[in-house]
Each structure stands twice: as C-alpha cells, then as structure tokens.
Amino acid sequence: MTQLTKSFSVSSRGNTDIVDITPDVEEIVRSFGVKDGLATVFVPGSTAGITTIEFESGAVADLKDAFERMCPEDIPYAHNARWGDGNGHSHVRAAILGASLSVPVAGARLLLGTWQQIVLVDFDNRPRTREIVVRISG
C-alpha cells in the first residue's frame, strides 16, 4: 500500500471562519496520481476542525449559528480562567467537530457528493495561518 503525505497552508479570519479547502485537497490527490484509496485531511491544533458541508452562504451561516448555540463564546470557560486568552469556546468547538476527515478516492477523484465540499473551520478568536495535512493511502 502506498502512503503519501503533503501539506498546504490556509489563512483564516478565526471566529468560526469556514474556508473551502476542496480544490487544494483535489490538487494533492491529482498530483500523487493515486487512482483508488483514502484521503485523510487533518488540521494540527486544538482550535480548528475539518468537516464537509454544502459551501453556500445559508449552510455556512447555519453551521456558525449552531456552534454558537452549542458552545457560546460569552459564557465562563475554565480554560479562559486558567490562561486568560478568551478562546475556551474555540477548544470545545474544535473538540466536538474533530480535527480530521477521511474521504474515499476512486478513479483518481475524491468521492464527494454533488454539493459537498471539504472545509476548515477555524474557531480561534484571532486570524490564523493553518497547516492542513493530507495523507493519501492507496
């Protein structure tokens, strides 16, 4: 089995910024020439996550609103009390979402649905440059 890894960087605004990274992941799959396998997309760090969504303004706004309802920014967090950095909600949101996603590859293409994109969700309370790691097994 072949194992190939490559990373790329993405700038985000933080504060639950949702960034479509599908074209970047597709390019890595193409560049490796893997016909069939599995692409795992991972974001190192404890205040961001990876998922899929229909990347359109309504669904993006709904996802942001859902995280605010589940883990409001303006409630007390023990992390904030200990570190004073105000991003306790960011850590909780990222833990709920998860740092990785695996997508099957067949015919040298990601097997995503018609309206499905891979997105980085950056929950931190400031702009960041995030490294995204893609590992292809095939």
Side-chain angles (χ1 to χ4, degrees):
M1 177 182 286
T2 303
Q3 302 280 330
L4 304 162
T5 305
K6 188 172 184 178
S7 63
F8 62 94
S9 295
V10 174
S11 294
S12 74
R13 296 183 307 266
N15 298 303
T16 314
D17 190 17
I18 300 174
V19 181
D20 182 3
I21 60 171
T22 310
D24 301 293
V25 177
E26 288 173 331
E27 177 55 35
I28 289 172
V29 169
R30 275 193 299 277
S31 73
F32 284 149
V34 172
K35 301 293 183 211
D36 295 290
L38 190 65
T40 300
V41 184
F42 175 78
V43 58
S46 60
T47 58
I50 302 285
T51 192
T52 63
I53 194 168
E54 180 178 349
F55 190 73
E56 61 82 25
S57 61
V60 167
D62 291 340
L63 184 60
K64 289 180 180 186
D65 289 344
F67 277 110
E68 184 58 31
R69 287 190 301 274
M70 286 188 296
C71 311
E73 182 177 354
D74 61 353
I75 65 171
Y77 288 91
H79 174 83
N80 294 346
R82 179 166 187 199
W83 297 103
D85 54 7
N87 71 350
H89 69 288
S90 307
H91 290 279
V92 174
R93 291 176 184 188
I96 289 170
L97 182 58
S100 67
L101 171 77
S102 293
V103 180
V105 175
R109 292 183 51 245
L110 294 169
L111 294 183
L112 294 169
T114 302
W115 307 112
Q116 186 178 32
Q117 287 80 42
I118 302 168
V119 294
L120 164 73
V121 185
D122 193 336
F123 297 111
D124 213 343
N125 57 0
R126 62 187 172 91
R128 300 285 303 261
T129 298
R130 296 291 187 169
E131 176 189 17
I132 309 297
V133 179
V134 179
R135 180 156 179 103
I136 310 291
S137 303

